[in-house]
Amino acid sequence: MDFYSAYAQGFARVAAITLPVHLADPAANAAAVLEQARACHDEHVAVAVFPELCLTGYSVDDLFLQDTLLASVEEAIAEIVAASADLMSVLVIGAPLVQGNRVHNCAVVIHRGTVLGVAPKSYLPNYREFYERRWFAPGDDRELEWITVAGHDVRFGPDLLFRCLDVPGLDLHVEVCEDMWVPVPPSAEAALAGATVLANLSGSPITVARAEDRRLLVRSASARCSAAYVYAAAGQGESTTDLSWDGQTLVYEAGDLLGEGERFPDGPRRTVVDVDLDRLRQERLRQGTFDDNRRTHHERVQRFRTVGWELEPPAGDIGLLRKVDRFPFVPDDPERLELDCYEAYNIQVSGLERRLASIGTPKAVIGVSGGLDSTHALIVACKAMDRLGRPRSDVLAFTMPGFATGEASKSYATRLSQALGVTFEELDIRPAAEQMLKDMGHPFGRGEKVYDVTFENVQAGLRYDYLFRLANQRGGIVVGTGDLSELALGWCTYGVGDQMSHYTVNAGVPKTLVQHLIRWVISHGEFEPEVGDVLGDILRQEITPELIPIEEGVKPQATEDSVGPYNLQDFTLAHVVRLGMRPRRIAFLAWHAWKDLEAGEWPPGFPDDARVAYSLEDVRRWLEVFVKRFFANQFKRSALPNGPKVSAIGTMSPRGDWRMPSDARGTAWLAEIERDVPTA
């Protein structure tokens, strides 16, 4: 397996191209197309999409019916076909072609010296500035036909799927301009028939706000069809007698923008991106209604004809031409992050508010450590009380120092609780823990410095044992503080421990998002200024469970030393739960996302001193840790208490996004890491 190859990892490179057109000069246009085709070949492009009628220009009007022009088009196509013999890319070009008694507005699909097929435009606009029915016949009824083009007898019709035989999942369908604007586009039926890359050759003169309309349609088509949509519009050189042209190029994938070219360019422009074919396949596997829709339209979908072709993709590292977010749960865009934080915070608050109201008037009992998770759970509980019109004193916050509790973290818990105005108490668990360890015959009970997992879990379990009994005593419910990342990694104590609560507000929030939620709470003034000051101090602390006493000369206990960097583990979590990705692809993507500290964007507000890079060796090491812990700890997730789903990426709830047997083993996943993921 070629780990470094984007094609071997389930990607395919596509290009949307706009170029200056020479009106009614097919020979000159063929030369311009071939110049771009050679550039696409050099860039390892699989599919190159050109504008509508790019061999003649869209705006030549009655010249479309001139024999001289039509004959020149045939010659131009023959020239392109011959020149394509040594080119890797499939070329999708626009041309007028005669079929029977009429001229059709066509997309000609060319590859390695042959014409694979011709797709006529199905729907012809004949309103406002458009007059296409004067020259062309609609192609929506031309199924199961053949046409002769440049000496090639090839399939003709809107019912063609161009299936790449050596790049699994690369199935191309082509439609032309207006076909995208009708209620049921040909591409929608093609997607149901298996097409994953939908191409649109467009003329589309520009008017105010039309570019936004195109983005809306292309994005929605890619989202509804779980497909990539490649759009190329006509630009420079078209007639400006009555219209203007902007040469917009777009590529969307499942609703996400991969690339958009410069509008109104001077000269040709290529928008070249890598489409994630495996993602599209996984999206369709998960969304069963996609295939149910195919059943509804079975009669039309089954008519599609498949044309096979072979790309012979390049081996080795050709880069990855797409943005890979370091933080799948945290957007880089400030406006999107702002909205995500608003929604996530209010999902948590409204969830707890509803649970409290449905029970009656219970108090919220919560253990606070001064760390990120309990801090966020505490402010969620306080906001829920505010919205219910109840005093914050109905939030009962307990700090419970153990053998390694630091003065700093305890002071943060105290200061925050006091600033919020909750009922706050300190409950020292050390005497009870010492007695329990002594009763168990644990070496620590005899005075030995043995700090094993039992030593840690005695403290973690006692804290929640006290919280549950305190809730019984004082008429409350225990609000859980553990987050999504900890549940995925099993970094929680099962049963009477931080795995359990009466309602868990953070269970849908990953570790990498928590800090941004707290920043949002500060910046939006959700609480008093003194609360914001304490929250800012808490954000700057290292993540630690504080269960093992600090010894001189020994590095203090840090969670990420055991479970791995949450940066990487949340990256893996998103790709496992939401996308079902195999380990080698996750490693490939994580390496591209994290290998260069300076490359790519960081979320707004992310501290400069927290920015890091990871080598492929790092990625491989912690991916193996993730797999081992993820499979070993499903039993904890199977008994997960109630709590709201927050991110569309997913949750660990067995009643929602994630169902898995507790005795499953990760052998196959670990074997793939060993076999397919290099260390450098």
Side-chain angles (χ1 to χ4, degrees), residues 324-329 485 510 512 565-577 579 585-594 619 623 626 649:
V324 183
D325 288 320
R326 290 182 174 92
F327 299 98
F329 293 97
S485 308
T512 49
Y566 282 113
N567 293 339
L568 288 178
Q569 303 304 41
D570 278 1
F571 185 96
T572 298
L573 173 62
H575 287 82
V576 167
V577 173
L579 299 172
R585 269 180 54 88
I586 296 172
F588 176 79
L589 290 170
W591 176 61
H592 275 281
W594 286 98
V619 169
L623 179 59
F626 180 95
I649 290 175

Side-chain angles (χ1 to χ4, degrees), residues 593-673:
W594 286 98
K595 65 181 178 179
D596 186 350
L597 184 71
E598 303 300 327
E601 299 172 324
W602 292 84
F606 197 88
D608 289 343
D609 59 2
R611 299 183 181 190
V612 294
Y614 299 108
S615 67
L616 183 56
E617 183 178 6
D618 295 330
V619 169
R620 188 184 193 274
R621 174 192 174 195
W622 294 117
L623 179 59
E624 186 173 348
V625 169
F626 180 95
V627 171
K628 289 177 179 177
R629 295 193 66 94
F630 188 78
F631 276 89
N633 288 282
Q634 174 60 27
F635 73 98
K636 297 180 182 179
R637 302 188 290 268
S638 294
L640 188 66
N642 293 177
K645 176 178 177 178
V646 173
S647 169
I649 290 175
T651 178
M652 294 282 94
S653 172
R655 298 167 297 277
D657 281 329
W658 191 254
R659 303 177 191 192
M660 167 184 165
S662 297
D663 44 9
R665 301 179 65 186
T667 307
W669 285 259
L670 292 170
E672 180 172 302
I673 295 172

Side-chain angles (χ1 to χ4, degrees), residues 42 46 72 77 94 180 291 345 363 472 515 594:
D42 292 340
S72 296
I77 292 174
M180 179 180 72
D291 198 58
Y345 179 66
K363 295 180 171 61
N472 292 155
Q515 60 177 299
W594 286 98

Side-chain angles (χ1 to χ4, degrees), residues 193-483:
T196 54
V197 177
L198 311 175
N200 187 295
L201 297 77
S202 180
S204 192
I206 187 62
T207 54
V208 171
R210 183 170 288 174
E212 287 301 313
D213 291 342
R214 295 178 192 141
R215 292 188 191 101
L216 174 64
L217 288 171
V218 173
R219 182 184 182 189
S220 62
S222 73
R224 285 184 293 101
C225 294
S226 294
Y229 202 102
V230 187
Y231 178 90
Q236 193 175 21
E238 291 286 358
S239 174
T240 57
T241 300
D242 292 300
L243 299 168
S244 191
W245 316 79
D246 68 334
Q248 187 174 26
T249 54
L250 299 164
V251 183
Y252 276 85
E253 174 191 286
D256 296 332
L257 178 64
L258 298 187
E260 178 173 1
E262 175 190 357
R263 295 174 59 213
F264 303 101
D266 182 14
R269 294 291 187 274
R270 294 185 303 280
T271 297
V272 183
V273 298
D274 288 335
V275 169
D276 191 343
L277 302 174
D278 277 7
R279 175 197 180 188
L280 299 175
R281 178 178 51 79
Q282 278 281 342
E283 292 285 1
R284 294 179 179 186
L285 286 178
R286 277 169 168 66
Q287 187 180 345
T289 50
F290 181 91
D291 198 58
D292 291 343
N293 196 221
R294 175 200 58 80
R295 293 168 58 242
T296 301
H297 298 276
H298 175 70
E299 184 177 347
R300 287 186 62 83
V301 169
Q302 70 175 347
R303 297 177 184 174
F304 276 84
R305 294 173 286 170
T306 300
V307 181
W309 55 285
E310 294 188 3
L311 180 66
E312 300 176 21
D317 186 2
I318 60 170
L320 187 64
L321 301 184
R322 63 185 285 127
K323 178 183 177 183
V324 183
D325 288 320
R326 290 182 174 92
F327 299 98
F329 293 97
V330 185
D332 300 328
D333 177 69
E335 290 185 9
R336 182 70 252 179
L337 178 58
E338 174 89 4
L339 180 58
D340 281 12
C341 288
Y342 161 78
E343 291 183 334
Y345 179 66
N346 281 283
I347 287 169
Q348 293 177 275
V349 171
S350 62
L352 180 58
E353 179 187 359
R354 174 73 177 108
R355 179 52 54 94
L356 291 170
S358 68
I359 296 173
T361 55
K363 295 180 171 61
V365 177
I366 186 167
V368 291
S369 65
L372 289 178
D373 289 343
S374 66
T375 292
H376 187 60
L378 180 60
I379 59 180
V380 165
C382 287
K383 184 58 66 172
M385 289 299 182
D386 291 350
R387 287 172 48 157
L388 288 167
R390 294 173 56 186
R392 290 185 192 167
S393 57
D394 281 353
V395 177
L396 311 184
F398 294 87
T399 186
M400 293 173 281
F403 299 119
T405 300
E407 287 301 318
S409 57
K410 190 170 77 169
S411 71
Y412 290 139
T414 304
R415 287 171 54 202
L416 180 61
S417 298
Q418 291 173 346
L420 286 167
V422 302
T423 300
F424 176 72
E425 295 182 37
E426 180 178 326
L427 197 163
D428 191 343
I429 66 166
R430 285 172 292 187
E434 288 174 351
Q435 185 63 49
M436 180 177 285
L437 289 165
K438 186 179 297 184
D439 292 344
M440 293 170 59
H442 189 276
F444 185 83
R446 300 190 297 270
E448 299 177 30
K449 294 181 178 181
V450 176
Y451 307 132
D452 56 11
V453 67
T454 303
F455 175 82
E456 295 186 39
N457 281 343
V458 162
Q459 297 171 78
L462 273 172
R463 287 184 173 123
Y464 270 79
D465 198 354
Y466 275 118
L467 289 174
F468 275 104
R469 304 297 76 79
L470 287 163
N472 292 155
Q473 181 191 45
R474 305 188 188 187
I477 64 169
V478 177
V479 177
T481 62
D483 64 44

Side-chain angles (χ1 to χ4, degrees), residues 99 141-147 154-157 159-160 305:
Q99 172 76 333
D141 63 341
R142 310 310 290 257
E143 297 177 343
L144 306 176
E145 293 191 13
W146 291 70
I147 188 173
V154 300
R155 292 173 178 84
F156 178 82
D159 57 339
L160 301 180
R305 294 173 286 170

Side-chain angles (χ1 to χ4, degrees), residues 30-31 33-34 37-38 41 55 73-89 91 93 108-116 149-152:
V33 166
L34 284 172
R38 294 186 183 101
H41 170 85
L55 287 188
V73 167
E74 289 279 342
E75 294 169 3
I77 292 174
E79 180 184 350
I80 294 171
V81 170
S84 73
D86 297 325
L87 300 180
M88 168 182 161
S89 311
L91 310 178
I93 62 173
V108 184
V109 183
I110 299 168
H111 187 238
R112 293 197 186 275
T114 189
V115 179
L116 296 178
V149 183
H152 296 255

